[in-house]
Amino acid sequence: MNETNKIKVGIIGGTGYTGKELLTLCSNHPKIDSISIFAQSTAGKSIYDIFPDLVGLMNDIVVKSADEIDYSLDIYFIALPHGISLKFVPELIKKGKKVVDLGGDFRLNSVDLYKKWYKFDHSESDLLSEKTYGLADTLDSSNYEKSLIANPGCYPTSVLLGLIPFIQTYSKKVLSISTVSYSGTSGAGKAPNASLLLSEMHGNAKAYNLNSHRHEPEILQVLVEKGLGGAPFSFSTHLLPLASGIYSTSVIHLKENLDESEVKSVYLNYYKNSPFVRLRETPPEIRWVLGTNFCDINLSTGEKRIIITSSIDNLIKGASGQAVQNMNKLYDWDERLGILPRRQTL
Amino acid sequence: MNETNKIKVGIIGGTGYTGKELLTLCSNHPKIDSISIFAQSTAGKSIYDIFPDLVGLMNDIVVKSADEIDYSLDIYFIALPHGISLKFVPELIKKGKKVVDLGGDFRLNSVDLYKKWYKFDHSESDLLSEKTYGLADTLDSSNYEKSLIANPGCYPTSVLLGLIPFIQTYSKKVLSISTVSYSGTSGAGKAPNASLLLSEMHGNAKAYNLNSHRHEPEILQVLVEKGLGGAPFSFSTHLLPLASGIYSTSVIHLKENLDESEVKSVYLNYYKNSPFVRLRETPPEIRWVLGTNFCDINLSTGEKRIIITSSIDNLIKGASGQAVQNMNKLYDWDERLGILPRRQTL
Amino acid sequence: MNETNKIKVGIIGGTGYTGKELLTLCSNHPKIDSISIFAQSTAGKSIYDIFPDLVGLMNDIVVKSADEIDYSLDIYFIALPHGISLKFVPELIKKGKKVVDLGGDFRLNSVDLYKKWYKFDHSESDLLSEKTYGLADTLDSSNYEKSLIANPGCYPTSVLLGLIPFIQTYSKKVLSISTVSYSGTSGAGKAPNASLLLSEMHGNAKAYNLNSHRHEPEILQVLVEKGLGGAPFSFSTHLLPLASGIYSTSVIHLKENLDESEVKSVYLNYYKNSPFVRLRETPPEIRWVLGTNFCDINLSTGEKRIIITSSIDNLIKGASGQAVQNMNKLYDWDERLGILPRRQTL
Amino acid sequence: MNETNKIKVGIIGGTGYTGKELLTLCSNHPKIDSISIFAQSTAGKSIYDIFPDLVGLMNDIVVKSADEIDYSLDIYFIALPHGISLKFVPELIKKGKKVVDLGGDFRLNSVDLYKKWYKFDHSESDLLSEKTYGLADTLDSSNYEKSLIANPGCYPTSVLLGLIPFIQTYSKKVLSISTVSYSGTSGAGKAPNASLLLSEMHGNAKAYNLNSHRHEPEILQVLVEKGLGGAPFSFSTHLLPLASGIYSTSVIHLKENLDESEVKSVYLNYYKNSPFVRLRETPPEIRWVLGTNFCDINLSTGEKRIIITSSIDNLIKGASGQAVQNMNKLYDWDERLGILPRRQTL
């Protein structure tokens, strides 16, 4: 391979769980020449100290200060809490850089939605329109002409990959959609939190943020784009006693019966070129997708209803794996580069 | 207490997880004089050998053969796989005994439903009509005149306690109900099963029996009795990577908005005399109910919808605890006897 | 029971995991008339808010400020971080109160040991001599004449109950003792700590505090009292990915072979009156003791060695259960009161 | 790469957990041209059906019957229960094939040891002498001249990598060695077993096979080769409530104090060319090594003692990863080929 084709990557804010996965993916990526990490609280530290399990798997990197971003790199991944990407993205875009934002600051399409669901005034309404919502397995190369990719949320990735082919084809037959998702605790990040101690969550499970999770408007805006009309959609989130993995169950009550094999054909056709979506004859298991960028999907029809189950690794397909897939697509490389085959634990 | 008021209890088939809980509950029950256990494969064994953790907590008991039931006892708990209770129950009822069947053989109301969902010809259609479906927290003493109690399934207990007050009051406003339940693995019993090894289920979760779980008709027949009209109901089951506990999330899409505090009043009133139902201001956690006979319930309203979460210990409230509660009610004792107060582990 | 015989209990600092167990034990104790709780950060809160799972299991209690201890009670349990009990115990003892200190401030016998292992100057050297080290199953009523009980540490309880009968009888035959213990995470308490998040500890295990754990001198000082001579002892601690439970494996290399049945006789005799020590024919399992005050012990002899395994629930036998047992013995009640029979979860 | 340099691999008996890891490692190995799998009970099945998570990660393979081994391949991995490798290995060796046996049939050095510990008459005493005990990180190319590699047991790998440098250098100072190991349940394989159900092992831990584990003589024979004299060694095994990972704690009581930094130098020197051994400043964590071929080791010295902790993934470093490393060394390839960088879950 011609070394001159390789790119330089920046990761801003990447010393949490998501950042760790990004690092390991990027450090094995054949097209990446160098990785720079910029962060606040961990500036000056070595990656080996932050993630001792990476010793021997990649070269060590010293974290730079997020106050002194090096703007000479080619692409920037941003893994910051919401509200903070806004401080970095506009400047990067202005300088002509490619940006994949793994946070929530550019996923929604309107300033109003940010006001309602995120409770802040979003200052970059133009960028909200100019971004690409990077649900990679539903996009082809024509969708990657913009520089800013809003990497989808973990729950929305699992839910939308399961629902989109159905909604595109059968939205008029839908009476209601009820999606119930369960996630491992790593989605809540690495910050100390008494309610997420193993002592609290071992042997436990619970719902949280009912009727108020920010991923609901994110999912809904895509479903509406794909043709969902008046039928109501709801989304409920729960915690599982495991570190990584999301399981989403979408129960769709229908106005009439559907032929299961016909629906399966729709899905097989929709995902025929997607190396990362696996259609299953039985409901998927979280362990099938752990450490991978796969989304596994099963369809089960009943009397005037269909139940769609889907599962992903929240840190990979739901964050860093999809981010790298988006980078691959931005550069028009094989979308599997650096991601497949490979598997990785938290 | 006058010893002559005490009763003799028989447990048929009780050397699985459910049987163990029954034993510990009965052995601490102030009205129980003696416990006899009848089983097939474990006949001749000592309870201390089968359940080493019971040493020192209760006296040892030698399991008798299920081929030689002693008919001189007062009440019989039956904890057998479905299809087998049919061999024991009719004779016991004929002899005037009280029976609490913890299996599924008498829960459904018609022979046809058994044909459809359990795939066998049910020979005791009279008993199906004469039994009481023992969802204890919804029944008062007037409901305990029959000798045969069909103890509800674990999932139905969690789902129905969450839904009944709502359906009784608001069924006309319901557009659809989608219940998604997750259970620990102990619900599947103690038999060796490669897919339930810790090596397989650790860090795992998965749906199973979608559109085909036998607890769906059990739930539906009660909801219809309580007034559910044409609105569709669906029920989906999943496995959690933990031993005990069920979490049920019922998403109800509505034709109009409801006032949350009004709905809460309905529940508070319905359960005002129930020591085992706890209404919660936040979604319950499985650990809150583990080791107890409680069912914890939360209501969360949104735009034309309500999400009802409920959680129980599947072996206690979902099986043995409710069975003892049913016994208490059959004898018109305080329903808490032998069950409350008791403790949980962390 | 004559109500006038009942006592009033104070719990100082009891709103962590240990405090919760103390509360549930005391609230079901037949000799306890009232419970007062004094704490710092949770003063003013209701127990129901701190421990939602206690609703319906006991009456609610409002936490009082630790700045205003009510000195009119009969006995005080202290569950505070080390170094802080020193502020409360002397005054309570001076006022003639009974005190069970669940922390480490009075377990060691000399000011020097505190200097070395706890890194502070212990101001109460008299109380160090006047306390009883409350390893309850090794003490009889003659040992309970002093007012201050130092409740043993969780690890020392599991290790010492396993080793004492052996050391008393065979210390001269010992070449070396190596004890390796594993504990659930609840031993580390409820404070937020990133390294104890489920995201970090799920599927994990690790050693910690090697060659520096404060429970080592606590164990050693008892072993020496019991006759351990020059043979070296070491103690190593590890974390298990579970909330509660301790497993201790003591490997004793011997100068000569021993007869296993003879050693077992020594243990059976030593514990013949102990309702809470169960000698086992196979190595115990953590689940056998969870939720109980039992210590399960197994002896396995090999070529010039014996391996002693023992297991307890760290929050009960290793803390609150033993504290209540100590209270029972201080008052010369049946030591099982309020503790046994009680139940475990699956 | 010249395709003609590639080899053909056979896996005999490889449809358990170990076989799955072998498959995924071999399918990504740059020097492997084809993989054939021979098994008994799964003959005729597709790998995709046996391991659904491998779909999309490698090409499907149909399992052939172990009754019809194809002898035209280059190297054979054998992953069979002990006592069965004996039926395959001699013929393969006679035909001049390379063999890596992942089972226990050739690890011990004498027929007598098999009689004592495995309870069978070993028929191939010549092969016992002619094999190489493949503890890969302790061997250099000169050790790979024989065709038969006995791949070390999982526990011995973790224990010996931790102990060998010490024993080689300091054996005369050793008073006693007590190794206590904990393993995840996958070491016990995929066969249904009631005691390994998640319902039994969740939140549990226990010792097993005390004073009788077959890995003890395997470890001891190597320690003696490395210079361990009269000092006694003991080895105790336990189960952890997790799928993969081994944690070994070796407590060595010494006749005199040692200088920790000097001991560390010995280890750094011994492993200076080993890409798979990581010396750590703190005790390792199981999660650091999961999905990898690493063995992480820490040394902690105390008063006349040293505690050596080591951790591996039992299915990779303790089985398939080391087997591939042995293959790499047999062919004199870079020992990291196909193994590093990469990580993989169960």
Side-chain angles (χ1 to χ4, degrees):
Chain A
M1 185 184 301
N2 183 343
E3 291 298 307
T4 58
N5 282 337
K6 291 196 174 182
I7 62 168
K8 293 181 192 306
V9 165
I11 300 176
I12 303 178
T15 54
Y17 293 138
T18 298
K20 181 181 167 189
E21 297 299 331
L22 256 179
L23 266 175
T24 52
L25 288 164
C26 288
S27 68
N28 289 320
H29 196 289
K31 293 283 198 180
I32 292 179
D33 190 46
S34 77
I35 305 169
S36 301
I37 308 172
F38 307 93
Q40 216 64 268
S41 61
T42 52
K45 287 198 184 173
S46 129
I47 283 300
Y48 280 8
D49 287 338
I50 302 172
F51 305 120
D53 47 336
L54 298 187
V55 174
L57 286 172
M58 54 176 286
N59 294 325
D60 199 5
I61 301 176
V62 174
V63 178
K64 293 169 192 162
S65 166
D67 293 336
E68 298 167 25
I69 303 291
D70 171 359
Y71 288 105
S72 72
L73 313 176
D74 298 294
I75 185 170
Y76 296 79
F77 294 102
I78 306 185
L80 292 166
H82 67 80
I84 304 186
S85 303
L86 285 173
K87 300 198 304 185
F88 295 96
V89 169
E91 185 70 12
L92 291 165
I93 295 297
K94 201 181 299 169
K95 291 189 189 307
K97 302 300 175 182
K98 294 182 195 296
V99 175
V100 179
D101 181 17
L102 286 84
D105 279 3
F106 295 92
R107 292 178 193 150
L108 301 183
N109 291 339
S110 84
V111 165
D112 290 350
L113 284 171
Y114 279 97
K115 190 78 177 168
K116 178 172 178 193
W117 290 89
Y118 283 73
K119 316 290 180 203
F120 74 82
D121 291 312
H122 198 292
S123 54
E124 304 292 332
S125 103
D126 286 358
L127 281 175
L128 292 185
S129 320
E130 279 168 36
K131 61 96 192 301
T132 297
Y133 182 76
L135 190 65
D137 301 281
T138 66
L139 305 177
D140 59 30
S141 54
S142 69
N143 301 112
Y144 283 89
E145 285 167 8
K146 291 167 183 164
S147 303
L148 174 57
I149 304 282
N151 210 55
C154 52
Y155 285 121
T157 298
S158 73
V159 175
L160 288 169
L161 291 177
L163 287 178
I164 284 174
F166 191 86
I167 294 305
Q168 284 202 166
T169 315
Y170 300 104
S171 71
K172 291 193 177 142
K173 302 189 173 174
V174 173
L175 183 69
S176 69
I177 307 178
S178 303
T179 298
V180 172
S181 292
Y182 276 69
S183 173
T185 55
S186 63
K190 220 170 129 180
N193 177 333
S195 70
L196 297 176
L197 291 174
L198 184 129
S199 298
E200 296 292 324
M201 279 304 299
H202 181 257
N204 203 3
K206 62 177 173 184
Y208 70 102
N209 285 5
L210 293 181
N211 288 306
S212 64
H213 200 288
R214 287 163 179 151
H215 287 177
E216 177 163 338
E218 183 181 336
I219 297 169
L220 186 59
Q221 86 184 359
V222 178
L223 292 181
V224 168
E225 276 172 27
K226 298 296 179 181
L228 183 68
F233 166 75
S234 79
F235 172 64
S236 314
T237 48
H238 303 69
L239 280 184
L240 280 168
L242 47 80
S244 291
I246 283 180
Y247 207 91
S248 291
T249 302
S250 293
V251 179
I252 308 179
H253 286 291
L254 298 165
K255 295 174 184 158
E256 58 188 82
N257 281 320
L258 288 181
D259 178 60
E260 189 169 298
S261 64
E262 188 192 299
V263 186
K264 284 183 181 170
S265 303
V266 167
Y267 275 73
L268 285 168
N269 187 56
Y270 188 85
Y271 288 122
K272 64 178 183 291
N273 297 319
S274 301
F276 293 116
V277 175
R278 300 188 295 193
L279 298 173
R280 296 293 193 175
E281 290 301 308
T282 60
E285 306 188 13
I286 279 184
R287 290 181 66 126
W288 293 355
V289 298
L290 279 188
T292 79
N293 196 48
F294 290 120
C295 177
D296 282 12
I297 297 172
N298 173 255
L299 310 170
S300 172
T301 54
E303 182 66 17
K304 289 194 188 172
R305 71 188 183 217
I306 184 166
I307 299 171
I308 300 172
T309 45
S310 52
S311 186
I312 63 167
D313 185 315
N314 55 310
L315 296 178
I316 301 186
K317 187 58 173 177
S320 304
Q322 184 158 240
V324 172
Q325 190 183 357
N326 275 320
M327 174 185 70
N328 289 340
K329 294 185 123 174
L330 270 171
Y331 282 98
D332 213 14
W333 299 328
D334 181 330
E335 65 185 313
R336 297 169 300 181
L337 276 190
I339 315 176
L340 194 71
R342 90 179 281 280
R343 309 172 65 211
Q344 161 184 347
T345 53
L346 174 63
Chain B
M1 186 185 301
N2 182 345
E3 292 298 307
T4 57
N5 283 337
K6 291 197 174 183
I7 61 168
K8 293 179 193 305
V9 164
I11 299 175
I12 303 178
T15 54
Y17 293 137
T18 298
K20 182 182 166 190
E21 296 298 330
L22 256 180
L23 266 175
T24 51
L25 288 163
C26 289
S27 68
N28 290 320
H29 195 289
K31 294 283 198 179
I32 291 178
D33 190 47
S34 77
I35 305 169
S36 301
I37 307 171
F38 306 94
Q40 215 63 268
S41 61
T42 51
K45 286 198 182 171
S46 129
I47 283 300
Y48 279 7
D49 288 338
I50 303 173
F51 305 120
D53 48 336
L54 298 187
V55 174
L57 285 172
M58 55 177 283
N59 294 325
D60 199 7
I61 302 176
V62 174
V63 178
K64 294 169 191 162
S65 167
D67 293 336
E68 298 169 25
I69 303 292
D70 171 358
Y71 288 105
S72 72
L73 313 176
D74 297 294
I75 184 170
Y76 295 80
F77 294 102
I78 306 186
L80 291 165
H82 66 80
I84 304 185
S85 302
L86 285 174
K87 300 197 306 186
F88 295 95
V89 169
E91 186 70 12
L92 290 165
I93 295 297
K94 201 180 301 171
K95 290 188 190 311
K97 302 301 176 183
K98 294 183 195 298
V99 175
V100 179
D101 181 17
L102 285 85
D105 280 3
F106 294 92
R107 292 178 193 151
L108 300 183
N109 291 339
S110 84
V111 165
D112 290 351
L113 284 171
Y114 279 97
K115 187 78 177 172
K116 178 174 177 193
W117 289 90
Y118 283 74
K119 315 292 181 199
F120 73 81
D121 292 313
H122 198 293
S123 54
E124 304 291 333
S125 102
D126 286 359
L127 282 175
L128 292 185
S129 321
E130 279 169 36
K131 62 99 190 303
T132 297
Y133 183 75
L135 190 66
D137 301 280
T138 67
L139 305 176
D140 58 29
S141 55
S142 69
N143 301 113
Y144 283 89
E145 286 168 6
K146 291 166 184 166
S147 304
L148 173 58
I149 305 281
N151 210 56
C154 51
Y155 285 121
T157 298
S158 73
V159 175
L160 288 169
L161 291 178
L163 286 177
I164 284 174
F166 190 86
I167 294 306
Q168 284 201 165
T169 315
Y170 299 104
S171 71
K172 288 191 178 143
K173 301 189 174 175
V174 173
L175 183 69
S176 68
I177 307 176
S178 303
T179 299
V180 172
S181 293
Y182 276 71
S183 172
T185 54
S186 62
K190 217 170 132 180
N193 178 333
S195 70
L196 297 175
L197 291 174
L198 184 129
S199 297
E200 296 291 326
M201 279 304 299
H202 180 258
N204 202 4
K206 61 178 174 184
Y208 70 101
N209 284 4
L210 293 181
N211 288 305
S212 64
H213 200 289
R214 286 161 179 152
H215 286 178
E216 176 163 339
E218 183 181 336
I219 297 169
L220 186 59
Q221 84 184 358
V222 177
L223 292 182
V224 168
E225 277 172 27
K226 299 297 179 182
L228 183 68
F233 165 75
S234 79
F235 172 64
S236 313
T237 49
H238 302 69
L239 281 184
L240 280 169
L242 46 79
S244 291
I246 283 179
Y247 207 92
S248 292
T249 302
S250 293
V251 179
I252 308 181
H253 286 292
L254 299 165
K255 295 174 184 159
E256 57 189 80
N257 281 321
L258 289 179
D259 178 59
E260 189 169 297
S261 64
E262 187 192 300
V263 185
K264 283 182 181 170
S265 304
V266 168
Y267 275 73
L268 285 167
N269 187 55
Y270 188 86
Y271 288 121
K272 64 178 182 289
N273 297 320
S274 301
F276 294 116
V277 176
R278 300 188 295 194
L279 298 174
R280 296 293 193 174
E281 290 302 307
T282 60
E285 305 189 14
I286 279 183
R287 289 181 66 127
W288 292 355
V289 298
L290 280 188
T292 80
N293 197 49
F294 289 120
C295 177
D296 281 12
I297 298 172
N298 174 256
L299 310 170
S300 172
T301 54
E303 181 65 18
K304 288 193 188 172
R305 71 188 183 215
I306 185 166
I307 299 172
I308 300 171
T309 44
S310 53
S311 186
I312 62 168
D313 184 315
N314 55 309
L315 296 178
I316 301 186
K317 187 59 174 177
S320 304
Q322 183 158 240
V324 172
Q325 190 183 357
N326 275 319
M327 174 185 71
N328 289 341
K329 294 185 122 174
L330 270 171
Y331 282 97
D332 213 15
W333 299 328
D334 182 330
E335 64 186 312
R336 296 170 299 182
L337 277 190
I339 315 177
L340 194 72
R342 58 190 318 208
R343 78 169 301 283
Q344 291 130 280
T345 53
L346 172 65
Chain C
M1 186 183 302
N2 182 345
E3 291 298 306
T4 58
N5 282 338
K6 291 196 175 183
I7 62 167
K8 294 181 192 304
V9 164
I11 300 175
I12 303 179
T15 55
Y17 293 138
T18 298
K20 182 182 166 190
E21 296 299 330
L22 257 180
L23 265 175
T24 51
L25 288 164
C26 289
S27 68
N28 290 321
H29 195 289
K31 293 282 198 181
I32 292 178
D33 190 46
S34 78
I35 305 169
S36 301
I37 308 171
F38 306 93
Q40 215 63 268
S41 61
T42 52
K45 287 198 183 173
S46 128
I47 283 300
Y48 280 7
D49 287 338
I50 302 172
F51 305 121
D53 47 335
L54 298 187
V55 174
L57 286 172
M58 55 176 283
N59 294 325
D60 200 5
I61 301 176
V62 174
V63 178
K64 292 169 192 161
S65 167
D67 293 336
E68 298 167 26
I69 304 291
D70 171 359
Y71 288 106
S72 72
L73 312 177
D74 298 293
I75 184 170
Y76 295 80
F77 294 102
I78 305 186
L80 291 166
H82 66 80
I84 305 186
S85 302
L86 285 174
K87 301 197 305 185
F88 295 96
V89 169
E91 185 70 14
L92 290 166
I93 295 297
K94 201 180 302 171
K95 291 190 188 307
K97 303 302 175 180
K98 294 182 195 295
V99 175
V100 179
D101 181 17
L102 287 84
D105 279 4
F106 294 92
R107 291 178 193 151
L108 300 183
N109 291 338
S110 84
V111 165
D112 291 350
L113 285 171
Y114 280 96
K115 189 76 177 170
K116 178 173 178 193
W117 290 89
Y118 284 74
K119 316 290 180 201
F120 72 82
D121 290 313
H122 197 292
S123 53
E124 304 291 333
S125 103
D126 286 358
L127 281 174
L128 292 185
S129 321
E130 280 168 36
K131 60 97 192 300
T132 297
Y133 182 76
L135 190 66
D137 301 281
T138 67
L139 305 176
D140 59 30
S141 53
S142 69
N143 300 112
Y144 283 90
E145 285 167 8
K146 292 168 183 163
S147 304
L148 173 57
I149 305 282
N151 211 54
C154 50
Y155 285 120
T157 298
S158 73
V159 175
L160 288 169
L161 291 178
L163 288 177
I164 284 174
F166 190 86
I167 295 305
Q168 284 200 167
T169 315
Y170 299 104
S171 71
K172 289 193 179 143
K173 302 189 174 174
V174 173
L175 182 69
S176 68
I177 308 177
S178 303
T179 298
V180 172
S181 293
Y182 276 69
S183 172
T185 54
S186 63
K190 219 172 132 180
N193 178 334
S195 72
L196 297 175
L197 291 174
L198 184 129
S199 298
E200 295 292 325
M201 279 304 300
H202 181 257
N204 204 4
K206 61 178 173 185
Y208 70 101
N209 286 4
L210 293 181
N211 288 306
S212 64
H213 200 288
R214 287 162 180 150
H215 287 177
E216 176 162 339
E218 182 181 337
I219 297 168
L220 186 59
Q221 87 184 358
V222 178
L223 292 182
V224 168
E225 278 172 27
K226 299 296 177 182
L228 184 67
F233 166 74
S234 79
F235 172 62
S236 314
T237 48
H238 302 69
L239 281 184
L240 281 169
L242 46 79
S244 292
I246 282 180
Y247 207 91
S248 291
T249 302
S250 293
V251 179
I252 307 179
H253 286 292
L254 298 165
K255 295 174 184 159
E256 57 187 81
N257 281 320
L258 289 181
D259 178 61
E260 188 170 297
S261 63
E262 188 191 299
V263 186
K264 283 183 181 170
S265 304
V266 169
Y267 276 73
L268 285 167
N269 187 56
Y270 188 85
Y271 288 122
K272 65 177 183 290
N273 297 319
S274 302
F276 293 116
V277 176
R278 301 188 295 194
L279 298 173
R280 296 293 194 175
E281 290 301 308
T282 60
E285 306 188 13
I286 280 184
R287 291 180 66 126
W288 292 356
V289 298
L290 279 188
T292 79
N293 196 49
F294 289 121
C295 178
D296 281 13
I297 297 172
N298 175 255
L299 310 171
S300 171
T301 54
E303 182 65 16
K304 288 194 189 170
R305 70 189 184 216
I306 184 167
I307 300 171
I308 301 172
T309 44
S310 52
S311 187
I312 62 167
D313 185 315
N314 56 309
L315 296 178
I316 301 185
K317 187 58 171 176
S320 305
Q322 184 158 238
V324 172
Q325 189 182 357
N326 275 320
M327 174 185 70
N328 290 340
K329 293 185 122 172
L330 271 171
Y331 283 97
D332 213 14
W333 299 327
D334 181 331
E335 64 186 313
R336 296 170 300 182
L337 276 190
I339 315 176
L340 193 72
R342 58 188 318 210
R343 78 171 301 284
Q344 290 131 281
T345 53
L346 173 64
Chain D
M1 185 184 302
N2 183 344
E3 292 298 307
T4 57
N5 283 337
K6 292 196 172 182
I7 62 168
K8 293 180 193 306
V9 164
I11 300 175
I12 302 178
T15 54
Y17 292 137
T18 298
K20 182 182 165 190
E21 297 299 331
L22 257 181
L23 264 175
T24 52
L25 287 164
C26 289
S27 67
N28 290 320
H29 196 288
K31 293 283 198 178
I32 291 178
D33 190 45
S34 77
I35 304 169
S36 301
I37 308 171
F38 306 94
Q40 215 63 268
S41 62
T42 52
K45 286 198 183 171
S46 130
I47 284 299
Y48 279 7
D49 288 340
I50 302 172
F51 304 121
D53 48 336
L54 297 187
V55 174
L57 285 172
M58 54 176 283
N59 294 325
D60 199 6
I61 301 176
V62 174
V63 178
K64 293 169 192 162
S65 166
D67 294 336
E68 298 169 24
I69 303 291
D70 171 358
Y71 288 106
S72 72
L73 312 176
D74 297 295
I75 185 170
Y76 296 80
F77 294 102
I78 306 187
L80 292 165
H82 67 80
I84 305 186
S85 302
L86 285 174
K87 300 197 306 186
F88 294 94
V89 169
E91 185 71 12
L92 290 166
I93 295 298
K94 201 180 301 170
K95 291 188 190 306
K97 301 302 175 182
K98 294 182 195 301
V99 175
V100 179
D101 181 17
L102 286 84
D105 280 4
F106 295 92
R107 291 179 193 151
L108 301 183
N109 291 338
S110 83
V111 165
D112 289 351
L113 285 171
Y114 280 97
K115 189 77 177 171
K116 177 174 178 193
W117 290 91
Y118 284 73
K119 316 291 180 200
F120 72 82
D121 291 313
H122 198 292
S123 53
E124 305 290 333
S125 103
D126 287 358
L127 282 174
L128 292 185
S129 321
E130 280 168 36
K131 60 98 191 302
T132 297
Y133 183 75
L135 190 65
D137 301 281
T138 67
L139 305 177
D140 59 28
S141 55
S142 70
N143 300 113
Y144 283 90
E145 286 167 6
K146 290 166 183 167
S147 304
L148 174 57
I149 305 282
N151 210 56
C154 50
Y155 285 120
T157 298
S158 73
V159 175
L160 288 170
L161 291 178
L163 288 177
I164 284 174
F166 190 87
I167 294 306
Q168 284 201 166
T169 315
Y170 299 104
S171 71
K172 289 191 178 144
K173 302 187 174 175
V174 173
L175 182 70
S176 68
I177 307 177
S178 304
T179 299
V180 172
S181 293
Y182 276 71
S183 172
T185 54
S186 63
K190 218 170 130 179
N193 177 334
S195 71
L196 297 175
L197 292 174
L198 184 129
S199 298
E200 296 292 326
M201 278 304 299
H202 181 259
N204 203 3
K206 62 178 173 184
Y208 69 102
N209 286 4
L210 293 181
N211 288 306
S212 63
H213 200 288
R214 287 161 178 151
H215 286 178
E216 176 163 339
E218 183 182 337
I219 297 169
L220 186 59
Q221 86 183 358
V222 178
L223 292 181
V224 168
E225 276 171 28
K226 299 295 179 182
L228 183 68
F233 166 75
S234 80
F235 172 64
S236 314
T237 48
H238 302 69
L239 281 184
L240 280 169
L242 47 80
S244 291
I246 282 179
Y247 207 90
S248 291
T249 302
S250 292
V251 179
I252 308 180
H253 286 292
L254 298 165
K255 295 173 185 159
E256 56 188 84
N257 280 321
L258 289 181
D259 179 59
E260 189 171 296
S261 64
E262 187 191 300
V263 186
K264 283 182 182 171
S265 304
V266 168
Y267 276 73
L268 285 167
N269 187 55
Y270 188 85
Y271 288 121
K272 65 176 182 288
N273 297 319
S274 301
F276 293 117
V277 175
R278 300 187 296 194
L279 298 174
R280 297 292 194 176
E281 290 301 307
T282 60
E285 306 188 13
I286 279 184
R287 289 181 66 127
W288 292 355
V289 298
L290 280 188
T292 80
N293 196 50
F294 290 120
C295 177
D296 281 11
I297 297 172
N298 174 256
L299 310 170
S300 172
T301 54
E303 182 65 16
K304 287 193 190 173
R305 70 190 184 214
I306 184 166
I307 299 171
I308 300 172
T309 44
S310 52
S311 186
I312 62 167
D313 184 316
N314 56 309
L315 297 178
I316 302 186
K317 187 59 175 176
S320 304
Q322 184 158 240
V324 171
Q325 190 183 357
N326 275 320
M327 174 185 70
N328 290 340
K329 293 185 124 175
L330 271 172
Y331 283 98
D332 213 14
W333 298 328
D334 182 330
E335 64 186 312
R336 296 169 300 181
L337 277 190
I339 315 176
L340 192 71
R342 91 181 280 283
R343 308 173 65 211
Q344 160 186 348
T345 53
L346 172 64

